[in-house]
Amino acid sequence: MAMAFHPLAASRVRLGPFFPAAAAAAPSASSVAAHHHPHHRRRFSAIVATAAASATAITEFDFKAYMGERAATVNRALDAAIPEGEPPKALHDAMRYALLAGGKRVRPALCLAACGVAGGREAWALAPAAAVEMVHTMSLVHDDLPCMDDDDLRRGKPTCHVVYGEPIAVLAGDALLSLAFHHMASIGSYPPDVDPDKHPARVVRAIGELARCIGSEGLVAGQVVDLEMTGTSEIVPLERLEYIHLHKTAALLEASVVIGAIIGGATDEQIERLRNYARSIGLLFQVVDDILDVTKSSEELGKTAGKDLASDKTTYPKLLGLDKSREFAEKLLSDATEQLAGFDKEKAAPLLHLAYYIAHRQN
């Protein structure tokens, strides 16, 4: 049975010893920026590189080629999903601008890989993979709006509302969300070799999973609490920060993995292991994002650097400091890889390497 989110309840991903460390001495925003030492970066990179080398020894896997091929496949599906030049032209142009602006396509890759590790063909999960990228893009378009994070740069380009105006950007996000569910629900989105008896129920279950993970129990809940905590004089406890990011960031990564597993025919036990894997990499993604925000430039990130610091957002480096944040990232990486232990090593290789990629990405 899927584990439901509950406000500020203990999650399956625990921070353990980091709670007392944070309570004892949460670093100030200025100390976070000043605490950026090259040897700490080298230590973290070395640990991750050692783990990645170990994984490569277990199973030879060309991760760069894998991601390039999946991104190209997903991009073709996304391009075909939105009309070009058809009315209302401004809306479709804005949707295409946001959706086809680049990006690493991590969430679709996770969806396809989870389908594969469950024993399914990746082609079965292409429509859901495209759908989660549509939802992700919607969240970025809305997140960048002046009433939210107010950002002018995304994926190295002006944000959607800067190019098309706020009203069209809002509506483009709405339309992408609607299109995601339409795309998943359409019979014509799937190849003819899906199991005619089992596939319909799997699609319905997958749609329910996506809806839960992005609504008031998932992504939207995290965004609301994040907005409430931004700029507050209240000291944000680490449990609250974990809640924000398990919902705002990890929930859609969780949906990507779980949906792929469902479509691929995974057992309930396998789905729960993959759910735990996804929650670990979801938090890992955010911890690394927080670290990069204070250690990289806007040019390196493709978005505005230092924005969290400037807006006084609560982040892991702000509460833990960079050293403890990197240690926490190492722990989450270890937790994620442990969840893959019971799967076929060759089939699990994409998920394993995606976890390493998330841990040591540079933008």
Side-chain angles (χ1 to χ4, degrees), residues 248-263:
K248 183 179 177 181
T249 303
L252 188 53
L253 288 162
E254 176 184 339
S256 302
V257 172
V258 172
I259 287 169
I262 291 170
I263 296 297

Side-chain angles (χ1 to χ4, degrees), residues 27 36 80 98 109 138 146 154 166 178 182 185 191 211 231 266 278 299 316 318 342 345 349:
H36 177 208
M138 172 279 297
R154 173 69 66 180
E166 289 179 46
S178 174
H182 179 268
E299 291 73 22
Y316 285 100
K318 182 178 178 181
K345 290 180 180 179

Side-chain angles (χ1 to χ4, degrees), residues 189-262:
S189 295
Y190 299 91
D193 67 333
V194 295
D195 188 319
D197 297 322
K198 298 178 180 178
H199 180 70
R202 290 173 180 173
V203 171
V204 170
R205 183 178 179 184
I207 288 174
E209 183 73 28
L210 180 59
R212 183 187 66 81
C213 282
I214 65 176
S216 63
E217 296 181 42
L219 187 154
V220 174
Q223 181 69 58
V224 168
V225 179
D226 188 28
L227 287 171
E228 290 174 346
M229 294 296 99
T230 298
T232 181
S233 57
E234 174 188 348
I235 297 177
V236 179
L238 210 51
E239 299 97 322
R240 182 69 60 92
L241 183 62
E242 183 189 26
Y243 174 90
I244 290 171
H245 295 311
L246 274 174
H247 292 69
K248 183 179 177 181
T249 303
L252 188 53
L253 288 162
E254 176 184 339
S256 302
V257 172
V258 172
I259 287 169
I262 291 170

